[in-house]
Amino acid sequence: MDIIHKYFKNLSETQIEQFTKLQELYQDWNLKINVVSRKDIDELYLRHVLHSLGIAKIIQFKPGSKVMDVGTGGGFPGIPLAILFPETQFHLVDSIGKKIKVVNEVAEGLGLTNVKTTHGRVEEVKDTYDFIVSRAVAQMETFVRWNKGKIAKKQNHDLKNGILYLKGGDLTEELKLYTSATIYNLPDYFDEDFFETKKVVHLGMKYKG
């Protein structure tokens, strides 16, 4: 938890309590339904929570905005972002039912009222969002195809509506089709070695009505 305080100093008491409870909730649920590897559970705050919050170093989601987390797995990056931005609506989607069950239980355990979940494929989601977030669930080209038509028309942020994707490694080949993509290197924001090759990719996407 100290590592969250290090980079996010203006947390409310509620947020501190929620972030603190994450470890216990995930440890408990992971014994029943394995969604996080054992090694990662021991480093939950570094490898999952702080990594998810890398997106919050790129953008501050505004109250009333809508964000979808595609392929959320055990709830990352959606759950940490929902704690940090309580007035933003988060929709967490995953095709694996047991993962969504854990997400539901964690959200309920934290008292998060700004999280809804869907067990299903993102292609079946009919709504539109300011931003779509994810942690490397597919190649960018595939991910863009999945999310076609899901970007809201109205711009509420300085950053153009679109995708905010947590990725690692050399993305030259993967992003060659996307000349407008912006890469933010997480070592510019976080000191830990874990983030050495980690990035947030922003890809603005046009509304297609």
Side-chain angles (χ1 to χ4, degrees):
M1 183 56 204
D2 290 347
I3 203 168
I4 307 303
H5 271 302
K6 179 179 172 183
Y7 295 107
F8 296 91
K9 298 190 188 308
N10 299 319
L11 299 175
S12 69
E13 282 186 28
T14 301
Q15 288 170 320
I16 291 166
E17 189 181 323
Q18 287 170 328
F19 277 124
T20 304
K21 274 175 90 171
L22 275 180
Q23 179 93 42
E24 184 189 336
L25 282 165
Y26 276 108
Q27 278 178 331
D28 186 36
W29 274 100
N30 218 49
L31 292 172
K32 302 169 197 170
I33 301 171
N34 192 257
V35 291
V36 178
S37 76
R38 187 153 291 166
K39 184 183 177 187
D40 282 6
I41 270 287
D42 293 338
E43 296 191 64
L44 185 78
Y45 288 102
L46 172 68
R47 291 170 171 265
H48 293 282
V49 182
L50 190 60
H51 188 208
S52 298
L53 295 177
I55 288 170
K57 290 295 183 185
I58 313 307
I59 188 169
Q60 295 287 298
F61 294 123
K62 293 191 175 170
S65 53
K66 289 168 63 181
V67 177
M68 178 165 63
D69 176 5
V70 173
T72 188
F76 301 101
I79 292 281
L81 290 171
I83 294 173
L84 199 63
F85 299 105
E87 293 178 37
T88 296
Q89 297 303 311
F90 289 87
H91 184 184
L92 278 53
V93 180
D94 204 284
S95 60
I96 299 172
K98 67 179 185 178
K99 292 185 175 178
I100 286 295
K101 178 177 172 56
V102 172
V103 172
N104 284 333
E105 295 291 346
V106 168
E108 191 178 324
L110 296 172
L112 292 174
T113 56
N114 61 332
V115 170
K116 75 171 187 175
T117 62
T118 294
H119 168 215
R121 297 175 61 81
V122 65
E123 295 96 323
E124 296 155 10
V125 174
K126 300 298 181 212
D127 213 345
T128 60
Y129 303 85
D130 297 88
F131 291 96
I132 293 167
V133 300
S134 191
R135 286 208 304 178
V137 294
Q139 289 281 90
M140 185 62 96
E141 195 172 352
T142 304
F143 195 73
V144 167
R145 190 173 68 246
W146 286 352
N147 291 291
K148 205 171 176 184
K150 294 179 180 24
I151 302 299
K153 188 174 189 177
K154 188 180 179 212
Q155 296 280 332
N156 296 311
H157 301 77
D158 293 337
L159 206 61
K160 191 178 177 190
N161 288 2
I163 289 168
L164 287 162
Y165 212 4
L166 289 159
K167 282 277 198 177
D170 184 353
L171 303 177
T172 312
E173 189 65 26
E174 186 173 342
L175 295 178
K176 67 181 182 186
L177 292 174
Y178 305 102
T179 52
S180 64
T182 306
I183 298 172
Y184 300 88
N185 293 305
L186 286 181
D188 293 345
Y189 307 94
F190 302 140
D191 301 332
E192 289 71 21
D193 291 345
F194 173 73
F195 296 104
E196 190 179 343
T197 63
K198 303 281 192 291
K199 304 165 177 69
V200 177
V201 179
H202 170 247
L203 179 64
M205 286 173 73
K206 287 192 175 71
Y207 168 79
K208 291 185 172 69

